[in-house]
Amino acid sequence: MPAGRLTFLYPGRLETPTGGYVYDRELLAALAATGTQVTALTLGEGYPAPSPATLEAGAALLAGLADGEAVMIDGLAFGVMDAIAAPQAQRLRLIALVHHPLAHESGLPPARAAELAASERRALALARHVVTTSPATAEAIITGFGVPSAKVSALEPGLVLPAPPVARVRRPGEPFRLLSVGSLVPRKDHPTLLAALAQIDDPAVTLDIAGSGEFDLAHAASVRATIERLGLSRRVRLHGALGRAALDALYAQADLFVLTTLYEGYGMAFVEAMAHGLPVIATGAGAVRDTVPPAAGILCEAGDAASVGAAIRRLAEDAALRQSLAQAARAHAQGLPGWPEQARRLAALIAEIGR
């Protein structure tokens, strides 16, 4: 098999507006720029709970690939593809891409989480190599799923560093603008952020939330109801999923980035915020405390609305502290790798697996 070829299989639509799909798109584009021949194919909708027909189509797709092909499969699908991947594992060079283990998604019933953990363990055992999006996720795969460390690599997202931020000077009477970026799903825990904002009796402290409400319609409706119940409808704006230019504009207008997530496999929104020179308030397990250094923000415990509210109040009142954190955030982002560097690492891994 030529070392410079990869077939990438993904669930749903590659243009889906989430951090995981941004990772996929950017990495594939950068990989193609290295000269690697990349073919990206969809596995269909419904993952990680695909219909029998979708799984059957996925099995046919795998069976149609040439012997020895390097095949990277996004973990949102691969974690439940154990049965259809097993017959092809000897002849294909399977590479799993794990953003975070499926069983670590928040809000899953215990029985479903156990089912996902078992299927993902079986699937990962079939892979020649596992690529994760952070060292924390790599450690979770090694310790929690029994994958040998020699078969696991962390390939963090690359960063497209924006132009140096222009310091925002707040004039008297202007709002103090918080920004949060994340889909309206349970894992992002917007209710904790809204409860924290409700503790701050200052209408000048406002919140912009950018993120799709289409992935969990019931939860998105609950978030909207919470905004109304807490009397925050004039202070919170839900923007939905935004394109790059509109999202960059929100970063430029913000004074502070806040994301009260429960768990992140990496946390691309935190890095984007730091790259835009924003101080950060963060919560959550997984890779969060690796992604956000203490010099760049304030880290609170997940679900602790009181601590998040106190951190918002402290940074709103202390311009010098905001500036210090903002400078450290931008400096940290400047030291992170770009997509070309990460694509070269993946190309080298594909070549090694090819040998």
Side-chain angles (χ1 to χ4, degrees), residues 194 197-198 200 203 224-236:
L194 295 171
L197 180 62
I200 301 171
R224 296 186 185 97
T226 299
I227 292 170
E228 293 296 328
R229 177 174 56 80
L230 295 176
L232 297 174
S233 58
R234 294 190 177 185
R235 297 170 61 189
V236 178

Side-chain angles (χ1 to χ4, degrees), residues 178-181 187-189 192-193 196 256-264 266-271 273-274 278-312 314-315 325 329:
L178 312 177
L179 173 62
S180 190
V181 178
R187 181 164 55 86
K188 302 300 182 180
D189 193 18
T192 288
L193 175 54
L256 176 62
F257 183 84
V258 190
L259 181 58
T260 53
T261 182
L262 297 175
Y263 179 95
E264 294 294 327
Y266 178 70
M268 290 178 67
F270 289 126
V271 173
M274 290 188 290
L278 289 178
V280 170
I281 296 174
T283 70
V288 173
R289 291 177 185 272
D290 295 330
T291 301
V292 182
I298 298 175
L299 286 88
C300 304
E301 293 300 319
D304 190 346
S307 292
V308 173
I312 293 172
R314 179 184 176 193
L315 290 178
L325 296 178

Side-chain angles (χ1 to χ4, degrees), residues 183-185 211-217 220 224 241:
S183 301
L184 303 185
V185 296
S212 175
E214 301 301 314
F215 300 116
D216 188 328
L217 296 177
R224 296 186 185 97

